[in-house]
Each structure stands twice: as structure tokens, then as C-alpha cells.
Amino acid sequence: MLLLVWRSEGKRHYLYLGVPDSPTNRTVAAKKAAQIQLDMASENFDPTLKHYRPVKGSESTVAEMMSMVIAEKINLVENSCWARYSSLDLAGSGKVSNNSLMHNHSFYN
């Protein structure tokens, strides 16, 4: 089982995540650890840890959480790729034509 351990204001905190050690679960644990670090930095840390504990009987599974993480990463990559692609001078004219960037994406539907 995965466990997060850290210090805050001189006190050691333990958070059992209730999931076995696997690459997928480690990614989820890293995201939870990042949220805790952000909360500590912004002085929004919950010392009771209720905000960070998995909710028993929750409908969210590790697979659902990972699909949210993956969707977020895909969105970041797509936006980054589109920004780079749309900055290309495809017509050789010194400026990018919007028409040259049009594609038929009907195969996605």
C-alpha cells in the first residue's frame, strides 16, 4: 500500500492512500503529494488530512483518476502542438494562412 509521509510545522504526517504500489498508483500519489505541497505553500493545508484522504465508498476509482490525469496531459500536449504548428509559415509567404491550417477531422467522429 502506498503511503505519503511529510513534515509540516514540525509535525510528521502520514497519509495512507489505500492503493497498492503500481506505476499508475504512484502517478496518482504524486499528484496528491503535489496538491498537499501547493496547499502548504498557499497556507491552505488541512492538518486533519480529511481533505486529502480517499473517500470510502467513493465512486472514483484509480482508473477514473488516471483517465482525468491523462486527459489533462493530452490537452496540454495538443495545445502545445497546435501552437507550434499554427506558427509555421506553410505557404512560404511570411505569414500563416488560416486556410492552410484547416483539416478534415471527420475520422474522429
Side-chain angles (χ1 to χ4, degrees):
M1 293 295 197
L2 289 177
L3 166 71
L4 297 178
V5 182
W6 71 97
R7 282 193 171 281
S8 174
E9 298 178 3
K11 182 178 179 188
R12 181 171 272 196
H13 297 276
Y14 301 89
L15 182 64
Y16 291 94
L17 299 178
V19 294
D21 189 1
S22 72
T24 300
N25 291 340
R26 283 183 178 233
T27 302
V28 173
K31 190 164 178 102
K32 176 122 5 210
Q35 179 62 51
I36 292 169
Q37 288 175 333
L38 179 65
D39 286 354
M40 288 187 325
S42 64
E43 298 181 3
N44 291 316
F45 176 66
D46 175 12
T48 68
L49 305 183
K50 288 180 184 176
H51 178 74
Y52 311 110
R53 286 194 179 102
V55 177
K56 292 184 181 183
S58 170
E59 297 301 318
S60 294
T61 64
V62 171
E64 290 170 340
M65 288 188 281
M66 278 308 302
S67 67
M68 291 186 317
V69 169
I70 290 169
E72 182 180 319
K73 296 285 184 189
I74 288 172
N75 189 29
L76 289 172
V77 169
E78 284 178 347
N79 289 340
S80 173
C81 289
W82 179 251
R84 282 185 274 161
Y85 179 74
S86 63
S87 68
L88 296 175
D89 180 11
L90 300 176
S93 64
K95 53 183 167 172
V96 176
S97 164
N98 286 337
N99 293 334
S100 67
L101 300 178
M102 300 302 275
H103 297 282
N104 180 3
H105 293 291
S106 60
F107 62 90
Y108 285 115
N109 295 332

